[in-house]
Amino acid sequence: MSDTPHFLPELVGSMSTGAAGNPTVAMMEAAFAHHKMHWRYINMEIPPASLADAVLGAKALGFRGFNCSLPHKINVIQHLDGLGESAAVMGAVNCVVRRSNQWIGENTDGKGFLRSLQSLTDPAGKSVVLFGAGGAARAIAVELAMVGAKKITVVNRSQDRGSGLASVLQTKVGIDSEFVRWQGEYVLHPTTDIVINATSIGLYDADARLALDLNSLRQSMIVADVIENPPRTSLIGDAEARGCRVLDGIGMLVNQGIIAVNYWSGVEPDAEVMRRALLRGLGL
Ligand code: NDP
């Protein structure tokens, strides 16, 4: 593999099992076009059994890196040369970066969320209530813990994933974290600073509601939702109606794309160009 400039475009892309990444393709390609980069972002449908061959293929073709989504986020690790700090704690990779001919696994989901959140507040010293304990929740929790959040309460329906995440946060990052089994309407403690929906509740369903006592939302709280489609979830609407500052899932998705382009190319792409392309890609 050579870093010599060549006639063909530089290649990056997404290894997934479906076409869900198409709006992301539009967003990435818009960044390349805007910055006059001779790069292409290619959506590749890779069944789990072909992942090893696909990674070898990407290496052989001189890819600069690639994103990967479920179900590849954990299995891809065995094919890489190393992991970034937070990806190692999470045990999940969504962005592979070629650095000095080594393939390094990073996780940009949590970093993308963090960048959005930092536009409103510094999470250091803050108390966080996090709904969910799947891939998105894990990525967010680890990044928040690593930048010094005071406490993360993980509220999840299933015990195993929820308590597993709280224990990773305690043992691997050394943050105060507790697991609360989600049963009935969750009542937020008044000292909560940041409330995050990192479940899939609300995806493609603007009317879906979290089991949350809305009367416990206070104006001082920041409320964030990872759901990107539709971005205006019930939670976002309910929180805004109570005077909370809110963050939708679009910001997280755009920011993880910005971080990926920067990892691969060193270019800091234009956020607005990517946001507009993503919204168009999502039909919004
Ligand atoms: P996972 O399948 O790994 O996790 C889903 C989580 O949602 C689990 O905690 C699950 O709980 C919980 N959940 C699902 N349905 C319910 C329900 N009816 N009641 C209570 N809890 C429920 O998914 P991911 O973490 O990978 O993704 C979650 C969402 O995040 C996706 O819908 C996606 O839209 C969004 N996302 C957004 C990104 C962005 O950039 N904006 C990036 C990545 C993801 P349990 O453990 O009990 O099953």
Side-chain angles (χ1 to χ4, degrees):
M1 207 155 42
S2 148
D3 279 327
T4 314
H6 48 84
F7 174 73
L8 293 170
E10 298 288 0
L11 297 174
V12 285
S14 168
M15 293 192 188
S16 62
T17 51
N22 282 340
T24 311
V25 175
M27 175 175 79
M28 297 302 211
E29 295 256 308
F32 297 154
H34 180 76
H35 294 282
K36 301 194 169 32
M37 296 164 67
H38 191 35
W39 285 57
R40 294 307 307 269
Y41 187 91
I42 299 162
N43 218 10
M44 297 165 282
E45 232 179 294
I46 312 292
S50 303
L51 182 62
D53 289 342
V55 175
L56 281 176
K59 287 184 185 175
L61 290 167
F63 271 55
R64 291 295 196 104
F66 55 87
N67 285 127
C68 50
S69 53
L70 288 173
H72 303 315
K73 287 184 174 183
I74 295 169
N75 290 338
V76 75
I77 292 174
Q78 61 192 301
H79 307 298
L80 305 178
D81 301 307
L83 295 177
E85 195 183 355
S86 56
V89 174
M90 288 167 216
V93 161
N94 79 329
C95 182
V96 175
V97 188
R98 197 181 86 199
R99 294 188 182 123
S100 309
N101 273 353
Q102 295 234 303
W103 288 69
I104 306 299
E106 298 279 3
N107 199 308
T108 57
D109 281 337
K111 292 184 201 303
F113 177 85
L114 186 60
R115 211 185 254 213
S116 289
L117 183 62
Q118 285 167 333
S119 68
L120 292 186
T121 192
D122 177 0
K126 301 287 188 333
S127 282
V128 179
V129 170
L130 176 69
F131 292 98
R138 262 178 108 81
I140 289 169
V142 168
E143 298 294 347
L144 289 176
M146 288 176 72
V147 296
K150 185 167 84 185
K151 178 172 183 180
I152 299 179
T153 303
V154 178
V155 183
N156 199 50
R157 179 180 59 179
S158 74
Q159 163 113 27
D160 48 346
R161 286 216 274 187
S163 59
L165 176 53
S167 113
V168 162
L169 296 173
Q170 280 160 11
T171 56
K172 292 200 182 172
V173 201
I175 185 183
D176 182 7
S177 180
E178 70 167 328
F179 164 63
V180 176
R181 185 85 183 266
W182 199 356
Q183 286 164 319
E185 289 206 330
Y186 186 81
V187 179
L188 294 161
H189 193 274
T191 57
T192 305
D193 299 300
I194 301 166
V195 181
I196 304 164
N197 173 37
T199 73
S200 41
I201 299 170
L203 186 64
Y204 308 129
D205 184 357
D207 297 325
R209 283 204 144 73
L210 263 67
L212 168 67
D213 178 358
L214 295 175
N215 291 324
S216 65
L217 278 171
R218 309 208 163 191
Q219 219 173 346
S220 57
M221 297 174 183
I222 289 176
V223 177
D225 203 319
V226 298
I227 297 299
E228 72 280 19
N229 196 9
R232 194 165 172 82
T233 57
S234 290
L235 177 64
I236 293 284
D238 290 337
E240 248 179 10
R242 280 161 181 77
C244 305
R245 288 181 294 163
V246 298
L247 286 169
D248 66 28
I250 295 289
M252 173 179 175
L253 193 50
V254 171
N255 280 325
Q256 65 79 29
I258 290 174
I259 294 165
V261 170
N262 186 260
Y263 275 158
W264 293 324
S265 69
V267 172
E268 182 70 16
D270 187 299
E272 201 39 48
V273 165
M274 293 177 73
R275 185 182 174 86
R276 277 201 303 268
L278 177 65
L279 291 174
R280 264 198 313 276
L282 289 169
L284 299 171

